C-alpha cells in the first residue's frame, strides 16, 4: 500500500510539474514588464526559451529512470506535462527566431539549410511536433503499440537539441557539455531496461509501491503524454 506521502505526491505531481514547467515563461513575462530582458530582448528570449526547452526535455527523459530506480510510479504523469512545456518553449524559441529574422522566409530557408546548428535545431523541432500532437489519451488508444515506437523519437529530438547547443556556442562549451553528459546518462540508464534488468523493479516490489508492475513497454511514454 502506497504511503500517505506518496498518495499526496500522486495528487500534486501534475500541478507541480505545470508550475515548474511554466516558471521560465513567468520570469520572461515579468522581465518584459520590468525591462529585465537585457539590451537585446529578442536574443535574450531566444536564448532563454532554447535553454528552457532543452532543460525540460532532459527533465522529461529523467522521469522514467527515476521511477524505475525509486519505484515512485506516481511520477509518471509529470512526463506529459514536462514534455508539453518543453514543446511550448521550442515553439516560443522558433517564433522568436522568426521575429528576429523579420519573417524573411527566403533568408530563413537559407539559414535552416546552410547553418548546421539551425538545421539540427529545426529537425529537432520537426521531430517534436508529432509527439506533441499525439500526446492525448485518444491518440494513445488509437495508436496502441505504434504510439510507443513513435514516441521514442523524443530521444533523437533531445540528442539533436544538445548538438544544436554545442554547435551554436562559440567559446564556453561548459553548459552544452553538461547537457551532453546528462543526456548520455539518461540514455545509459535506459540500457538495463533494454536488457530486461530492472534495478528499480525489485526495489519497487520490495516497497510495495503502487504500480510496481513494470510499465514496459510503456516505459518510453514520450515526454508529451499522460
Ligand atoms: C526550431 C528550430 C530552431 C531554431 C531556428 C533555433 C535557433 C536558435 C538560435 C538562433 C539560437 C541563438 C544563437 C545565438 O544567439 O548565439 C538558439 C539557441 C539555443 N537553442 Fe535553438 N533553435 C531551434 C530549435 C531548438 C530546439 C528544438 C532546442 C531544444 C530542444 C533548442 C535549444 C537551444 C538552446 C539550448 C540554445 C542556447 C541557449 C543559451 O545559450 O542559453 N533550439 N537557437
Amino acid at each position: 500500500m502506497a504511503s500517505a506521502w506518496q498518495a499526496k505526491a500522486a495528487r500534486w505531481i501534475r500541478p507541480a510539474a505545470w508550475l515548474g514547467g511554466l516558471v521560465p515563461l513567468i520570469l520572461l513575462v515579468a522581465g518584459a514588464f520590468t525591462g529585465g530582458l537585457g539590451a537585446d530582448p529578442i536574443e535574450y528570449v531566444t536564448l532563454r526559451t532554447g535553454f528552457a526547452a532543452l532543460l525540460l526535455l532532459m527533465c522529461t527523459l529523467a522521469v522514467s529512470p527515476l521511477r524505475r530506480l525509486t519505484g515512485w510510479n506516481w511520477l509518471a504523469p509529470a512526463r506529459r506535462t514536462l514534455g508539453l512545456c518543453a514543446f511550448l518553449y521550442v515553439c516560443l524559441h522558433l517564433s522568436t527566431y522568426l521575429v528576429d529574422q523579420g519573417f524573411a522566409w527566403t533568408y530563413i530557408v537559407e539559414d535552416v539549410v546552410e547553418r548546421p546548428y539551425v538545421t539540427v535545431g529545426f529537425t529537432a523541432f520537426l521531430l517534436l511536433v508529432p509527439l506533441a500532437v499525439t500526446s492525448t489519451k485518444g491518440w494513445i488508444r488509437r495508436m496502441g503499440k505504434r504510439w510507443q515506437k513513435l514516441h521514442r523519437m523524443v530521444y533523437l529530438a533531445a540528442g539533436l537539441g544538445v548538438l544544436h547547443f554545442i554547435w551554436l556556442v562559440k567559446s564556453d562549451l561548459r553548459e552544452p557539455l553538461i547537457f551532453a553528459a546528462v543526456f548520455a546518462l539518461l540514455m545509459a540508464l535506459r540500457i538495463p531496461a533494454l536488457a530486461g534488468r530492472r534495478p528499480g523493479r525489485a526495489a519497487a516490489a520490495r516497497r510495495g509501491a503502487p504500480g510496481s508492475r513494470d510499465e514496459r513497454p510503456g516505459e518510453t511514454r514520450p515526454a508529451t503524454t499522460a
Side-chain angles (χ1 to χ4, degrees):
M1 181 54 212
S3 65
W5 77 265
Q6 292 209 41
K8 194 177 275 177
R11 271 202 309 281
W12 286 99
I13 185 66
R14 208 188 293 270
W18 275 118
L19 183 61
L22 293 175
V23 163
L25 182 61
I26 294 165
L27 293 176
L28 281 175
V29 172
F33 284 100
T34 60
L37 300 181
D40 183 347
I42 294 280
E43 194 198 17
Y44 183 89
V45 174
T46 307
L47 296 177
R48 290 298 90 205
T49 50
F51 193 91
L54 201 53
L55 184 66
L56 283 162
L57 266 183
M58 295 302 139
C59 294
T60 311
L61 291 176
V63 173
S64 293
L66 202 55
R67 249 185 63 222
R68 174 162 294 110
L69 293 170
T70 61
W72 293 350
N73 289 305
W74 49 266
L75 285 170
R79 242 185 338 250
R80 178 175 182 271
T81 308
L82 294 171
L84 285 172
C85 289
F87 186 68
L88 166 70
Y89 290 109
V90 169
C91 293
L92 291 174
H93 185 62
L94 175 57
S95 314
T96 319
Y97 166 80
L98 297 177
V99 169
D100 197 20
Q101 309 305 332
F103 296 98
W105 299 113
T106 320
Y107 173 79
I108 289 167
V109 171
E110 271 172 32
D111 205 27
V112 170
V113 171
E114 288 165 14
R115 287 211 281 177
Y117 87 83
V118 180
T119 314
V120 291
F122 195 71
T123 310
F125 166 72
L126 292 179
L127 290 174
L128 290 171
V129 171
L131 305 189
V133 170
T134 58
S135 68
T136 63
K137 288 193 176 72
W139 274 103
I140 298 174
R141 259 195 317 279
R142 268 194 297 280
M143 294 180 71
K145 279 218 165 323
R146 287 173 299 133
W147 185 90
Q148 283 139 11
K149 284 200 175 63
L150 172 74
H151 283 264
R152 287 208 172 104
M153 281 204 309
V154 69
Y155 303 154
L156 183 56
L160 290 175
V162 171
L163 192 58
H164 169 73
F165 196 6
I166 291 172
W167 279 354
L168 73 89
V169 167
K170 299 173 186 65
S171 53
D172 186 354
L173 273 172
R174 279 174 297 172
E175 275 184 356
L177 291 180
I178 290 170
F179 272 105
V182 170
F183 177 67
L185 173 68
L186 292 173
M187 291 300 106
L189 281 172
R190 282 167 166 79
I191 294 171
L194 294 174
R197 294 190 317 288
R198 299 280 154 72
R201 185 170 179 173
R206 264 198 310 282
R207 275 192 294 277
S212 59
R213 177 188 60 71
D214 184 345
E215 293 235 14
R216 186 174 182 111
E219 181 270 338
T220 54
R221 291 203 168 171
T224 52
T225 63

